[in-house]
Amino acid sequence: MLEHILDLLSGIHTPVSLFAVTPPPRAPASLEATIADALAPLGCIGRLPDRRIGLVYLGPRGAEDSNGEALHNLIRARIERRLSDRGWCRQADGVGLAATHGWTDGKAKAGELIAALPVNRVTPRLSC
């Protein structure tokens, strides 16, 4: 899926971000589905080769967000809000989130983006 998206957009200079979400250990499938549901409005969702939940984000970002921190926080907050709405607020602490960024105009290949993903960082809850 990621390779196909990058191929389709290879002639356009657009930022692309790949996020990897790791649910808490021993999370039920319904919790993973809730996380995917929270991410779905932001981009394409799928499983990465290492089984983490992947999100390909091609949307706008502010000029000051060159390192993706604001986008990272937005995604984290969406996950936490959805988990809280479903009564899984305490599970939010165990959700890992990692990201890598590139460009669609041939500078980023799917394998390179996936390989560049760091280990998920587990951050304290923002709002839950």
CSV table of all heavy atoms in Angstrom, one decimal, residues 13-81:
chain,number,residue,atom,x,y,z
A,13,HIS,N,5.9,17.2,-5.1
A,13,HIS,CA,6.7,17.4,-3.9
A,13,HIS,C,5.8,17.7,-2.7
A,13,HIS,O,5.4,18.8,-2.4
A,13,HIS,CB,7.7,18.6,-4.2
A,13,HIS,CG,8.7,18.9,-3.1
A,13,HIS,ND1,9.7,18.0,-2.9
A,13,HIS,CD2,8.8,19.8,-2.2
A,13,HIS,CE1,10.5,18.4,-1.9
A,13,HIS,NE2,9.9,19.6,-1.5
A,14,THR,N,5.5,16.6,-2.0
A,14,THR,CA,4.6,16.7,-0.9
A,14,THR,C,5.2,16.0,0.3
A,14,THR,O,5.7,14.9,0.1
A,14,THR,CB,3.2,16.0,-1.2
A,14,THR,OG1,2.7,16.7,-2.4
A,14,THR,CG2,2.3,16.1,-0.1
A,15,PRO,N,5.1,16.5,1.5
A,15,PRO,CA,5.7,15.8,2.6
A,15,PRO,C,4.8,14.6,3.0
A,15,PRO,O,3.6,14.6,2.8
A,15,PRO,CB,5.6,16.8,3.8
A,15,PRO,CG,4.6,17.8,3.4
A,15,PRO,CD,4.6,17.8,1.9
A,16,VAL,N,5.5,13.5,3.4
A,16,VAL,CA,4.8,12.3,3.8
A,16,VAL,C,5.3,11.9,5.1
A,16,VAL,O,6.5,12.0,5.4
A,16,VAL,CB,4.9,11.2,2.7
A,16,VAL,CG1,6.4,10.8,2.5
A,16,VAL,CG2,4.1,9.9,3.1
A,17,SER,N,4.4,11.5,6.0
A,17,SER,CA,4.9,10.9,7.3
A,17,SER,C,4.3,9.5,7.5
A,17,SER,O,3.2,9.3,7.1
A,17,SER,CB,4.3,11.8,8.4
A,17,SER,OG,4.9,13.1,8.3
A,18,LEU,N,5.1,8.7,8.0
A,18,LEU,CA,4.7,7.3,8.3
A,18,LEU,C,4.8,7.2,9.8
A,18,LEU,O,5.8,7.4,10.4
A,18,LEU,CB,5.6,6.3,7.6
A,18,LEU,CG,5.3,4.8,8.0
A,18,LEU,CD1,3.9,4.4,7.5
A,18,LEU,CD2,6.4,3.9,7.3
A,19,PHE,N,3.6,6.8,10.4
A,19,PHE,CA,3.5,6.6,11.8
A,19,PHE,C,3.3,5.1,12.1
A,19,PHE,O,2.7,4.5,11.3
A,19,PHE,CB,2.4,7.4,12.4
A,19,PHE,CG,2.6,8.9,12.5
A,19,PHE,CD1,2.3,9.7,11.4
A,19,PHE,CD2,3.1,9.5,13.6
A,19,PHE,CE1,2.5,11.0,11.4
A,19,PHE,CE2,3.4,10.9,13.6
A,19,PHE,CZ,3.1,11.6,12.5
A,20,ALA,N,3.9,4.7,13.2
A,20,ALA,CA,3.8,3.3,13.6
A,20,ALA,C,3.3,3.3,15.1
A,20,ALA,O,3.9,4.0,15.9
A,20,ALA,CB,5.1,2.6,13.6
A,21,VAL,N,2.2,2.7,15.3
A,21,VAL,CA,1.5,2.6,16.6
A,21,VAL,C,1.6,1.2,17.2
A,21,VAL,O,1.2,0.3,16.5
A,21,VAL,CB,0.1,3.1,16.5
A,21,VAL,CG1,-0.6,3.1,17.9
A,21,VAL,CG2,0.0,4.5,15.9
A,22,THR,N,2.1,1.1,18.4
A,22,THR,CA,2.2,-0.2,19.0
A,22,THR,C,1.2,-0.2,20.2
A,22,THR,O,1.3,0.7,21.1
A,22,THR,CB,3.6,-0.5,19.6
A,22,THR,OG1,4.5,-0.5,18.5
A,22,THR,CG2,3.6,-1.8,20.3
A,23,PRO,N,0.1,-1.0,20.1
A,23,PRO,CA,-0.8,-1.0,21.3
A,23,PRO,C,-0.1,-1.6,22.5
A,23,PRO,O,1.0,-2.2,22.4
A,23,PRO,CB,-1.9,-2.0,20.8
A,23,PRO,CG,-1.7,-2.1,19.3
A,23,PRO,CD,-0.3,-1.8,19.0
A,24,PRO,N,-0.7,-1.4,23.7
A,24,PRO,CA,-0.2,-1.9,24.9
A,24,PRO,C,0.0,-3.5,24.8
A,24,PRO,O,-0.8,-4.1,24.1
A,24,PRO,CB,-1.2,-1.6,26.0
A,24,PRO,CG,-2.0,-0.5,25.4
A,24,PRO,CD,-2.0,-0.7,23.9
A,25,PRO,N,0.9,-4.0,25.5
A,25,PRO,CA,1.0,-5.5,25.5
A,25,PRO,C,-0.3,-6.2,25.9
A,25,PRO,O,-1.0,-5.7,26.8
A,25,PRO,CB,2.1,-5.8,26.6
A,25,PRO,CG,2.8,-4.5,26.8
A,25,PRO,CD,1.9,-3.4,26.4
A,26,ARG,N,-0.6,-7.3,25.3
A,26,ARG,CA,-1.8,-8.0,25.5
A,26,ARG,C,-3.1,-7.3,25.3
A,26,ARG,O,-4.1,-7.5,26.0
A,26,ARG,CB,-1.7,-8.7,26.9
A,26,ARG,CG,-0.6,-9.7,27.0
A,26,ARG,CD,-0.4,-10.2,28.4
A,26,ARG,NE,0.0,-9.2,29.4
A,26,ARG,CZ,1.2,-8.6,29.6
A,26,ARG,NH1,2.1,-8.9,28.8
A,26,ARG,NH2,1.4,-7.7,30.5
A,27,ALA,N,-3.0,-6.3,24.5
A,27,ALA,CA,-4.3,-5.5,24.2
A,27,ALA,C,-5.2,-6.3,23.4
A,27,ALA,O,-4.9,-7.1,22.5
A,27,ALA,CB,-3.9,-4.2,23.4
A,28,PRO,N,-6.5,-6.2,23.7
A,28,PRO,CA,-7.5,-7.0,23.0
A,28,PRO,C,-7.6,-6.4,21.5
A,28,PRO,O,-7.3,-5.3,21.3
A,28,PRO,CB,-8.8,-6.8,23.8
A,28,PRO,CG,-8.6,-5.6,24.6
A,28,PRO,CD,-7.1,-5.5,24.8
A,29,ALA,N,-8.1,-7.2,20.6
A,29,ALA,CA,-8.3,-6.8,19.3
A,29,ALA,C,-9.2,-5.6,19.2
A,29,ALA,O,-9.0,-4.7,18.3
A,29,ALA,CB,-8.8,-8.0,18.4
A,30,SER,N,-10.2,-5.5,20.0
A,30,SER,CA,-11.1,-4.3,20.0
A,30,SER,C,-10.4,-3.0,20.4
A,30,SER,O,-10.7,-2.0,19.8
A,30,SER,CB,-12.3,-4.6,20.9
A,30,SER,OG,-11.8,-4.8,22.2
A,31,LEU,N,-9.4,-3.1,21.2
A,31,LEU,CA,-8.6,-1.9,21.5
A,31,LEU,C,-7.7,-1.5,20.3
A,31,LEU,O,-7.7,-0.3,19.9
A,31,LEU,CB,-7.7,-2.1,22.7
A,31,LEU,CG,-7.0,-0.9,23.2
A,31,LEU,CD1,-7.0,-0.9,24.8
A,31,LEU,CD2,-5.6,-0.8,22.7
A,32,GLU,N,-7.2,-2.5,19.6
A,32,GLU,CA,-6.4,-2.2,18.4
A,32,GLU,C,-7.3,-1.6,17.3
A,32,GLU,O,-6.9,-0.6,16.6
A,32,GLU,CB,-5.7,-3.4,17.9
A,32,GLU,CG,-4.6,-3.9,18.8
A,32,GLU,CD,-3.7,-5.0,18.2
A,32,GLU,OE1,-3.7,-5.1,16.9
A,32,GLU,OE2,-3.1,-5.7,18.9
A,33,ALA,N,-8.5,-2.1,17.2
A,33,ALA,CA,-9.5,-1.6,16.2
A,33,ALA,C,-9.9,-0.1,16.6
A,33,ALA,O,-10.1,0.7,15.7
A,33,ALA,CB,-10.7,-2.5,16.2
A,34,THR,N,-10.0,0.1,17.9
A,34,THR,CA,-10.3,1.5,18.3
A,34,THR,C,-9.2,2.5,17.9
A,34,THR,O,-9.5,3.6,17.5
A,34,THR,CB,-10.6,1.5,19.8
A,34,THR,OG1,-11.7,0.7,20.1
A,34,THR,CG2,-10.8,2.9,20.4
A,35,ILE,N,-8.0,2.1,18.1
A,35,ILE,CA,-6.8,2.9,17.7
A,35,ILE,C,-6.9,3.2,16.2
A,35,ILE,O,-6.7,4.3,15.7
A,35,ILE,CB,-5.5,2.3,18.1
A,35,ILE,CG1,-5.4,2.3,19.7
A,35,ILE,CG2,-4.3,3.0,17.5
A,35,ILE,CD1,-4.2,1.5,20.2
A,36,ALA,N,-7.1,2.1,15.4
A,36,ALA,CA,-7.1,2.3,14.0
A,36,ALA,C,-8.3,3.2,13.6
A,36,ALA,O,-8.2,4.0,12.7
A,36,ALA,CB,-7.3,0.9,13.3
A,37,ASP,N,-9.4,3.0,14.2
A,37,ASP,CA,-10.6,3.9,14.0
A,37,ASP,C,-10.3,5.4,14.3
A,37,ASP,O,-10.7,6.2,13.5
A,37,ASP,CB,-11.8,3.4,14.8
A,37,ASP,CG,-13.0,4.1,14.5
A,37,ASP,OD1,-13.4,4.2,13.3
A,37,ASP,OD2,-13.7,4.6,15.5
A,38,ALA,N,-9.5,5.6,15.3
A,38,ALA,CA,-9.1,7.0,15.6
A,38,ALA,C,-8.2,7.6,14.6
A,38,ALA,O,-8.3,8.8,14.3
A,38,ALA,CB,-8.5,7.0,17.0
A,39,LEU,N,-7.4,6.8,13.9
A,39,LEU,CA,-6.5,7.3,13.0
A,39,LEU,C,-7.0,7.4,11.5
A,39,LEU,O,-6.5,8.1,10.7
A,39,LEU,CB,-5.2,6.3,12.9
A,39,LEU,CG,-4.5,6.2,14.2
A,39,LEU,CD1,-3.4,5.1,14.1
A,39,LEU,CD2,-3.9,7.5,14.6
A,40,ALA,N,-8.1,6.6,11.2
A,40,ALA,CA,-8.6,6.5,9.9
A,40,ALA,C,-8.9,7.8,9.2
A,40,ALA,O,-8.6,8.0,8.0
A,40,ALA,CB,-9.8,5.6,9.9
A,41,PRO,N,-9.4,8.8,9.9
A,41,PRO,CA,-9.7,10.1,9.2
A,41,PRO,C,-8.4,10.8,8.7
A,41,PRO,O,-8.5,11.8,7.9
A,41,PRO,CB,-10.5,10.9,10.2
A,41,PRO,CG,-11.0,9.9,11.2
A,41,PRO,CD,-10.0,8.8,11.2
A,42,LEU,N,-7.3,10.4,9.3
A,42,LEU,CA,-6.0,11.2,9.0
A,42,LEU,C,-5.3,10.6,7.8
A,42,LEU,O,-4.4,11.3,7.3
A,42,LEU,CB,-5.1,11.1,10.2
A,42,LEU,CG,-5.7,11.8,11.5
A,42,LEU,CD1,-4.7,11.6,12.6
A,42,LEU,CD2,-6.0,13.3,11.2
A,43,GLY,N,-5.6,9.4,7.3
A,43,GLY,CA,-4.8,8.9,6.2
A,43,GLY,C,-5.1,7.4,6.0
A,43,GLY,O,-6.0,6.9,6.6
A,44,CYS,N,-4.2,6.7,5.3
A,44,CYS,CA,-4.3,5.3,5.1
A,44,CYS,C,-3.8,4.5,6.2
A,44,CYS,O,-2.7,4.8,6.7
A,44,CYS,CB,-3.5,4.9,3.8
A,44,CYS,SG,-4.2,5.7,2.3
A,45,ILE,N,-4.6,3.5,6.7
A,45,ILE,CA,-4.2,2.7,7.8
A,45,ILE,C,-3.9,1.3,7.3
A,45,ILE,O,-4.6,0.8,6.4
A,45,ILE,CB,-5.4,2.6,8.8
A,45,ILE,CG1,-5.8,4.0,9.2
A,45,ILE,CG2,-5.0,1.8,10.0
A,45,ILE,CD1,-4.8,4.8,10.0
A,46,GLY,N,-2.9,0.7,7.9
A,46,GLY,CA,-2.6,-0.7,7.6
A,46,GLY,C,-1.7,-1.3,8.6
A,46,GLY,O,-1.2,-0.6,9.5
A,47,ARG,N,-1.3,-2.5,8.4
A,47,ARG,CA,-0.3,-3.2,9.2
A,47,ARG,C,1.1,-3.1,8.6
A,47,ARG,O,1.2,-3.3,7.4
A,47,ARG,CB,-0.6,-4.7,9.4
A,47,ARG,CG,-1.8,-4.9,10.3
A,47,ARG,CD,-1.4,-4.6,11.8
A,47,ARG,NE,-2.6,-4.8,12.6
A,47,ARG,CZ,-2.6,-4.7,13.9
A,47,ARG,NH1,-1.4,-4.5,14.5
A,47,ARG,NH2,-3.6,-4.9,14.6
A,48,LEU,N,2.1,-2.7,9.4
A,48,LEU,CA,3.4,-2.7,8.9
A,48,LEU,C,4.0,-4.1,9.0
A,48,LEU,O,3.4,-5.0,9.6
A,48,LEU,CB,4.3,-1.7,9.8
A,48,LEU,CG,3.8,-0.3,9.7
A,48,LEU,CD1,4.5,0.6,10.7
A,48,LEU,CD2,4.0,0.3,8.3
A,49,PRO,N,5.1,-4.4,8.3
A,49,PRO,CA,5.7,-5.7,8.3
A,49,PRO,C,6.0,-6.2,9.7
A,49,PRO,O,5.9,-7.5,10.0
A,49,PRO,CB,7.0,-5.6,7.6
A,49,PRO,CG,6.8,-4.4,6.6
A,49,PRO,CD,5.9,-3.5,7.4
A,50,ASP,N,6.2,-5.4,10.7
A,50,ASP,CA,6.5,-5.8,12.1
A,50,ASP,C,5.2,-5.9,12.9
A,50,ASP,O,5.2,-6.1,14.1
A,50,ASP,CB,7.5,-4.9,12.8
A,50,ASP,CG,7.0,-3.5,12.9
A,50,ASP,OD1,5.8,-3.2,12.6
A,50,ASP,OD2,7.8,-2.6,13.3
A,51,ARG,N,4.0,-5.8,12.2
A,51,ARG,CA,2.7,-5.9,12.8
A,51,ARG,C,2.2,-4.7,13.6
A,51,ARG,O,1.1,-4.7,14.1
A,51,ARG,CB,2.6,-7.1,13.7
A,51,ARG,CG,2.9,-8.4,13.0
A,51,ARG,CD,2.1,-8.8,11.8
A,51,ARG,NE,0.6,-8.8,12.2
A,51,ARG,CZ,-0.3,-8.6,11.3
A,51,ARG,NH1,-0.1,-8.2,10.1
A,51,ARG,NH2,-1.6,-8.6,11.7
A,52,ARG,N,3.0,-3.6,13.6
A,52,ARG,CA,2.5,-2.4,14.2
A,52,ARG,C,1.4,-1.8,13.3
A,52,ARG,O,1.4,-2.1,12.1
A,52,ARG,CB,3.6,-1.3,14.4
A,52,ARG,CG,4.6,-1.7,15.5
A,52,ARG,CD,5.6,-0.6,15.7
A,52,ARG,NE,6.6,-0.6,14.6
A,52,ARG,CZ,7.7,0.3,14.6
A,52,ARG,NH1,7.8,1.2,15.6
A,52,ARG,NH2,8.5,0.2,13.6
A,53,ILE,N,0.5,-0.9,13.9
A,53,ILE,CA,-0.5,-0.2,13.1
A,53,ILE,C,0.2,0.9,12.4
A,53,ILE,O,0.9,1.7,13.0
A,53,ILE,CB,-1.6,0.3,14.0
A,53,ILE,CG1,-2.3,-0.9,14.7
A,53,ILE,CG2,-2.6,1.1,13.1
A,53,ILE,CD1,-3.2,-0.5,15.8
A,54,GLY,N,0.1,1.0,11.1
A,54,GLY,CA,0.7,2.1,10.3
A,54,GLY,C,-0.3,3.1,9.8
A,54,GLY,O,-1.4,2.8,9.5
A,55,LEU,N,0.2,4.3,9.8
A,55,LEU,CA,-0.6,5.5,9.3
A,55,LEU,C,0.3,6.2,8.3
A,55,LEU,O,1.4,6.7,8.7
A,55,LEU,CB,-1.1,6.4,10.4
A,55,LEU,CG,-1.6,7.8,10.0
A,55,LEU,CD1,-2.9,7.7,9.2
A,55,LEU,CD2,-1.8,8.7,11.2
A,56,VAL,N,-0.2,6.4,7.1
A,56,VAL,CA,0.5,7.2,6.1
A,56,VAL,C,-0.3,8.6,6.1
A,56,VAL,O,-1.4,8.6,5.8
A,56,VAL,CB,0.4,6.6,4.7
A,56,VAL,CG1,1.1,7.5,3.7
A,56,VAL,CG2,1.1,5.2,4.7
A,57,TYR,N,0.5,9.6,6.5
A,57,TYR,CA,-0.1,11.0,6.6
A,57,TYR,C,0.4,11.8,5.5
A,57,TYR,O,1.6,12.0,5.4
A,57,TYR,CB,0.1,11.6,7.9
A,57,TYR,CG,-0.5,12.9,8.1
A,57,TYR,CD1,-1.8,13.1,8.4
A,57,TYR,CD2,0.3,14.1,7.9
A,57,TYR,CE1,-2.4,14.3,8.5
A,57,TYR,CE2,-0.3,15.3,8.0
A,57,TYR,CZ,-1.6,15.5,8.3
A,57,TYR,OH,-2.2,16.7,8.5
A,58,LEU,N,-0.5,12.4,4.6
A,58,LEU,CA,-0.1,13.3,3.6
A,58,LEU,C,-0.7,14.7,3.7
A,58,LEU,O,-0.6,15.5,2.8
A,58,LEU,CB,-0.5,12.7,2.2
A,58,LEU,CG,0.1,11.4,1.8
A,58,LEU,CD1,-0.7,10.8,0.7
A,58,LEU,CD2,1.5,11.6,1.4
A,59,GLY,N,-1.3,14.9,4.9
A,59,GLY,CA,-2.0,16.2,5.1
A,59,GLY,C,-1.1,17.4,5.4
A,59,GLY,O,0.1,17.3,5.4
A,60,PRO,N,-1.7,18.5,5.6
A,60,PRO,CA,-1.0,19.7,5.8
A,60,PRO,C,-0.3,19.7,7.2
A,60,PRO,O,-0.7,19.0,8.1
A,60,PRO,CB,-2.1,20.8,5.7
A,60,PRO,CG,-3.3,20.1,6.1
A,60,PRO,CD,-3.2,18.7,5.6
A,61,ARG,N,0.7,20.5,7.3
A,61,ARG,CA,1.4,20.8,8.6
A,61,ARG,C,1.9,22.2,8.6
A,61,ARG,O,2.1,22.7,7.5
A,61,ARG,CB,2.5,19.7,8.8
A,61,ARG,CG,3.5,19.7,7.7
A,61,ARG,CD,4.3,18.5,7.7
A,61,ARG,NE,3.5,17.5,7.1
A,61,ARG,CZ,3.8,16.2,7.2
A,61,ARG,NH1,4.9,15.8,7.8
A,61,ARG,NH2,3.0,15.3,6.6
A,62,GLY,N,2.1,22.7,9.7
A,62,GLY,CA,2.6,24.1,9.8
A,62,GLY,C,4.0,24.2,9.5
A,62,GLY,O,4.8,23.2,9.6
A,63,ALA,N,4.4,25.3,9.0
A,63,ALA,CA,5.8,25.6,8.6
A,63,ALA,C,6.8,25.4,9.8
A,63,ALA,O,7.9,24.9,9.6
A,63,ALA,CB,6.0,27.0,8.0
A,64,GLU,N,6.3,25.7,11.0
A,64,GLU,CA,7.2,25.5,12.2
A,64,GLU,C,7.3,24.1,12.6
A,64,GLU,O,8.0,23.7,13.5
A,64,GLU,CB,6.6,26.4,13.3
A,64,GLU,CG,5.3,25.9,13.9
A,64,GLU,CD,4.1,26.2,13.1
A,64,GLU,OE1,4.2,27.0,12.1
A,64,GLU,OE2,3.0,25.7,13.4
A,65,ASP,N,6.5,23.2,12.0
A,65,ASP,CA,6.5,21.8,12.4
A,65,ASP,C,7.4,20.9,11.6
A,65,ASP,O,7.0,19.8,11.1
A,65,ASP,CB,5.1,21.2,12.4
A,65,ASP,CG,4.9,19.9,13.0
A,65,ASP,OD1,5.7,19.6,13.9
A,65,ASP,OD2,4.0,19.1,12.7
A,66,SER,N,8.6,21.4,11.4
A,66,SER,CA,9.6,20.6,10.5
A,66,SER,C,9.9,19.3,11.0
A,66,SER,O,10.2,18.3,10.3
A,66,SER,CB,10.8,21.5,10.2
A,66,SER,OG,11.5,21.7,11.5
A,67,ASN,N,9.9,19.1,12.3
A,67,ASN,CA,10.3,17.8,12.9
A,67,ASN,C,9.1,16.9,13.2
A,67,ASN,O,9.2,15.8,13.7
A,67,ASN,CB,11.1,18.0,14.2
A,67,ASN,CG,10.3,18.6,15.3
A,67,ASN,OD1,9.2,19.0,15.1
A,67,ASN,ND2,11.0,18.7,16.4
A,68,GLY,N,7.9,17.4,12.9
A,68,GLY,CA,6.7,16.6,13.1
A,68,GLY,C,6.1,16.5,14.5
A,68,GLY,O,5.2,15.7,14.8
A,69,GLU,N,6.7,17.3,15.4
A,69,GLU,CA,6.3,17.1,16.8
A,69,GLU,C,4.8,17.5,17.0
A,69,GLU,O,4.1,16.8,17.8
A,69,GLU,CB,7.2,18.0,17.7
A,69,GLU,CG,7.1,17.7,19.2
A,69,GLU,CD,7.6,16.3,19.5
A,69,GLU,OE1,8.5,15.8,18.8
A,69,GLU,OE2,7.1,15.7,20.5
A,70,ALA,N,4.3,18.6,16.4
A,70,ALA,CA,2.9,18.9,16.5
A,70,ALA,C,2.0,17.9,16.0
A,70,ALA,O,1.0,17.5,16.6
A,70,ALA,CB,2.7,20.3,15.9
A,71,LEU,N,2.4,17.3,14.8
A,71,LEU,CA,1.6,16.2,14.2
A,71,LEU,C,1.6,15.0,15.1
A,71,LEU,O,0.6,14.3,15.3
A,71,LEU,CB,2.2,15.9,12.8
A,71,LEU,CG,1.4,14.9,12.0
A,71,LEU,CD1,0.0,15.3,11.8
A,71,LEU,CD2,2.1,14.8,10.6
A,72,HIS,N,2.8,14.7,15.7
A,72,HIS,CA,2.9,13.5,16.6
A,72,HIS,C,2.0,13.7,17.8
A,72,HIS,O,1.2,12.8,18.2
A,72,HIS,CB,4.4,13.5,17.1
A,72,HIS,CG,4.7,12.3,18.0
A,72,HIS,ND1,5.2,11.2,17.6
A,72,HIS,CD2,4.4,12.2,19.3
A,72,HIS,CE1,5.3,10.3,18.6
A,72,HIS,NE2,4.9,10.9,19.6
A,73,ASN,N,1.9,14.9,18.4
A,73,ASN,CA,1.1,15.2,19.5
A,73,ASN,C,-0.4,15.2,19.1
A,73,ASN,O,-1.2,14.7,19.9
A,73,ASN,CB,1.4,16.6,20.1
A,73,ASN,CG,2.7,16.6,20.8
A,73,ASN,OD1,3.2,15.5,21.2
A,73,ASN,ND2,3.3,17.7,20.9
A,74,LEU,N,-0.8,15.6,17.9
A,74,LEU,CA,-2.1,15.5,17.4
A,74,LEU,C,-2.6,14.1,17.3
A,74,LEU,O,-3.7,13.7,17.8
A,74,LEU,CB,-2.3,16.2,16.1
A,74,LEU,CG,-3.6,16.0,15.4
A,74,LEU,CD1,-4.7,16.9,15.9
A,74,LEU,CD2,-3.4,16.2,13.9
A,75,ILE,N,-1.8,13.3,16.8
A,75,ILE,CA,-2.1,11.8,16.6
A,75,ILE,C,-2.2,11.2,17.9
A,75,ILE,O,-3.2,10.4,18.2
A,75,ILE,CB,-1.1,11.2,15.7
A,75,ILE,CG1,-1.3,11.7,14.2
A,75,ILE,CG2,-1.2,9.6,15.7
A,75,ILE,CD1,-0.3,11.3,13.2
A,76,ARG,N,-1.3,11.4,18.8
A,76,ARG,CA,-1.3,10.9,20.2
A,76,ARG,C,-2.6,11.3,20.9
A,76,ARG,O,-3.3,10.4,21.5
A,76,ARG,CB,-0.1,11.3,21.0
A,76,ARG,CG,-0.1,10.8,22.4
A,76,ARG,CD,1.0,9.8,22.6
A,76,ARG,NE,0.9,9.3,23.9
A,76,ARG,CZ,0.7,8.0,24.1
A,76,ARG,NH1,0.7,7.1,23.1
A,76,ARG,NH2,0.6,7.5,25.3
A,77,ALA,N,-3.0,12.5,20.8
A,77,ALA,CA,-4.2,13.0,21.4
A,77,ALA,C,-5.5,12.4,20.8
A,77,ALA,O,-6.4,12.1,21.6
A,77,ALA,CB,-4.3,14.6,21.3
A,78,ARG,N,-5.5,12.1,19.5
A,78,ARG,CA,-6.6,11.5,18.9
A,78,ARG,C,-6.8,10.1,19.5
A,78,ARG,O,-7.9,9.6,19.8
A,78,ARG,CB,-6.5,11.4,17.4
A,78,ARG,CG,-6.8,12.7,16.7
A,78,ARG,CD,-6.7,12.5,15.2
A,78,ARG,NE,-7.8,11.7,14.7
A,78,ARG,CZ,-9.0,12.1,14.4
A,78,ARG,NH1,-9.3,13.4,14.5
A,78,ARG,NH2,-10.0,11.3,14.0
A,79,ILE,N,-5.7,9.4,19.6
A,79,ILE,CA,-5.7,8.0,20.1
A,79,ILE,C,-6.2,8.0,21.6
A,79,ILE,O,-7.1,7.2,21.9
A,79,ILE,CB,-4.3,7.3,20.0
A,79,ILE,CG1,-3.9,7.1,18.6
A,79,ILE,CG2,-4.3,6.0,20.8
A,79,ILE,CD1,-2.5,6.7,18.3
A,80,GLU,N,-5.6,8.9,22.4
A,80,GLU,CA,-6.0,9.0,23.8
A,80,GLU,C,-7.5,9.3,23.9
A,80,GLU,O,-8.2,8.8,24.8
A,80,GLU,CB,-5.2,10.0,24.5
A,80,GLU,CG,-3.7,9.6,24.6
A,80,GLU,CD,-2.8,10.6,25.1
A,80,GLU,OE1,-3.3,11.8,25.3
A,80,GLU,OE2,-1.6,10.3,25.4
A,81,ARG,N,-8.0,10.3,23.1
A,81,ARG,CA,-9.4,10.7,23.2
A,81,ARG,C,-10.3,9.5,22.9
A,81,ARG,O,-11.3,9.3,23.6
A,81,ARG,CB,-9.6,11.9,22.3
A,81,ARG,CG,-10.9,12.6,22.5
A,81,ARG,CD,-11.0,13.9,21.8
A,81,ARG,NE,-10.4,14.0,20.5
A,81,ARG,CZ,-9.2,14.6,20.2
A,81,ARG,NH1,-8.6,15.2,21.1
A,81,ARG,NH2,-8.8,14.6,19.0
